[in-house]
Amino acid sequence: MDELHAVLRSEYGIAGSVSPVVGGLSALAYRVDTAQGEYFLKVYDKKKSGTAAQLEKLSLCMEVASWLERGSALTGRINAPLPTVSGHIRAETQGHAYLLFAYIHGAVPGTTPLSVGQQEELAEIVGLLHGCRDLPFDLSGVRETFDIPCAELLNVRRDPHDSLCVHQQYDMLMRAIDRVQKLSERIKAARPQFVLCHTDIHGWNLMQSESMVLIDWESIKLAPAEADLYTFWGDWYWGDSQWGGYWDVFLPVYRRLRPEYAPCEEALRFYQLRRHIEDANDFFRQYLYDAMSTQETAEVVSCLERECYFIGKLMQP
């Protein structure tokens, strides 16, 4: 905690109380209360597996988010980090990287179903994002490659005596990786149009304040629109519940902003399946390489089991 206070003073020129809040999988999160106002601080641990690759593109993604927040129709509908006193997009120490945001008062939907009005508002945000053109950045480093992040899963060996789900469901996982690789090749061959995408839209990355705010822009990509739209297609994201899908509400609003858009079902299936494979691989990498407590290990195993369940569900005829 001493390092947090030191970074806030030296890098952002603020001081106050710091309290932990619920964060995401990639970073710890804190609320900072100061005389100047309230802030939200994200802290990335460089020792964690996968963090180095994330930090490599983090500054560019945050620069893009800042540009969108300042100078596009998305002003007030997304969040972007506050610069350090020296004008940098993030602060950094030997062991950690930091992003500071204005605190947004509101509720995170999480796993709560969105109302029709919320779905429509989110569809408008995504449509406006995909319509952004002529950004003053070199986005080649965040251009979709259609690669399948599954190195750790590919190194799994079938072991019926190991209770971990990746060993028990080895055959299904290998079939899923093969299927998504074939989808990848077909989509690349079709040469789809690329747009600016968030790529991580879900209930934990939304804030319902006076209006809907889309947060957590660490995964920005130039990609087919389906890289965002898969979230709303069928019952994938909000599915495995009795909520039903959002597509019938989402698509008409989205197409009012992008009337030329025609959904590509193969791309939607690709992004659905790749996301679960990618998440399963991330959790398995954490299980293999990260130093975790017994409780943290149990949580990672539970998340890995959930991803394997969803992959199996998507692999059903």
Side-chain angles (χ1 to χ4, degrees):
M1 195 66 76
D2 288 344
E3 182 179 286
L4 296 183
H5 287 285
V7 167
L8 289 169
R9 285 194 301 269
S10 63
E11 298 293 330
Y12 294 101
I14 60 175
S17 63
V18 178
S19 53
V21 295
V22 176
L25 296 173
S26 62
L28 297 175
Y30 298 87
R31 175 171 170 159
V32 182
D33 291 286
T34 75
Q36 297 97 320
E38 301 155 297
Y39 302 91
F40 182 79
L41 181 68
K42 296 187 74 170
V43 182
Y44 300 81
D45 186 347
K46 295 180 181 179
K47 297 190 297 295
K48 285 197 169 186
S49 62
T51 301
Q54 184 179 32
L55 293 180
E56 183 180 340
K57 299 176 181 178
L58 184 64
S59 291
L60 173 59
C61 291
M62 293 300 100
E63 292 283 1
V64 172
S66 295
W67 184 88
L68 291 171
E69 205 283 327
R70 289 193 314 267
S72 76
L74 291 167
T75 300
R77 308 181 81 170
I78 69 173
N79 74 330
L82 302 170
T84 67
V85 291
S86 56
H88 293 111
I89 203 73
R90 77 189 197 206
E92 199 149 355
T93 62
Q94 184 174 357
H96 299 90
Y98 301 84
L99 292 174
L100 187 69
F101 302 84
Y103 193 86
I104 302 171
H105 288 275
V108 176
T111 56
T112 303
L114 299 183
S115 69
V116 170
Q118 288 175 317
Q119 294 173 51
E120 292 173 339
E121 192 170 0
L122 185 53
E124 187 174 79
I125 291 172
V126 178
L128 290 170
L129 172 65
H130 291 181
C132 289
R133 298 287 185 271
D134 303 321
L135 277 71
F137 304 97
D138 177 4
L139 298 176
S140 57
V142 291
R143 186 175 177 84
E144 177 65 87
T145 62
F146 301 101
D147 292 339
I148 321 298
C150 59
E152 278 72 29
L153 291 179
L154 284 173
N155 286 326
V156 172
R157 293 292 178 264
R158 186 189 292 104
D159 185 353
H161 303 294
D162 194 314
S163 62
L164 193 66
C165 56
V166 294
H167 297 287
Q168 291 294 312
Q169 301 184 57
Y170 171 86
D171 291 337
M172 180 274 293
L173 288 170
M174 295 305 108
R175 289 197 305 273
I177 290 170
D178 180 66
R179 179 180 293 182
V180 80
Q181 287 174 334
K182 289 175 179 175
L183 285 169
S184 169
E185 292 304 316
R186 291 203 291 270
I187 297 165
K188 279 193 287 188
R191 302 178 66 85
Q193 178 190 7
F194 281 17
V195 296
L196 187 65
C197 294
H198 180 281
T199 79
D200 196 22
I201 301 173
H202 53 74
W204 297 104
N205 282 347
L206 301 173
M207 286 291 299
Q208 182 60 63
S209 187
E210 292 182 6
S211 59
M212 181 73 75
V213 181
L214 180 57
I215 64 175
D216 286 358
W217 290 79
E218 289 97 324
S219 304
I220 287 173
K221 275 187 180 179
L222 272 181
E226 287 81 6
D228 282 333
L229 302 188
Y230 78 98
T231 296
F232 309 98
W233 183 62
D235 285 340
W236 178 81
Y237 172 65
W238 306 102
D240 197 39
S241 68
Q242 302 303 310
W243 299 349
Y246 288 176
W247 193 242
D248 290 344
V249 172
F250 183 93
L251 187 61
V253 176
Y254 178 84
R255 291 189 71 177
R256 284 204 292 270
L257 293 162
R258 299 195 70 230
E260 76 284 5
Y261 174 70
C264 174
E265 187 168 318
E266 281 200 332
L268 291 165
R269 292 189 184 281
F270 167 78
Y271 280 108
Q272 286 185 347
L273 188 54
R274 187 182 74 168
R275 176 56 186 266
H276 281 302
I277 291 171
E278 182 178 6
D279 285 353
N281 194 75
D282 285 346
F283 289 125
F284 189 44
R285 183 175 61 239
Q286 290 180 48
Y287 177 83
L288 291 174
Y289 306 128
D290 287 355
M292 297 182 291
S293 67
T294 301
Q295 180 181 347
E296 288 171 331
T297 300
E299 290 173 353
V300 166
V301 168
S302 177
C303 290
L304 182 56
E305 289 172 346
R306 179 180 182 275
E307 295 308 318
C308 286
Y309 167 78
F310 275 114
I311 293 168
K313 187 177 179 183
L314 288 173
M315 289 298 291
Q316 292 174 2

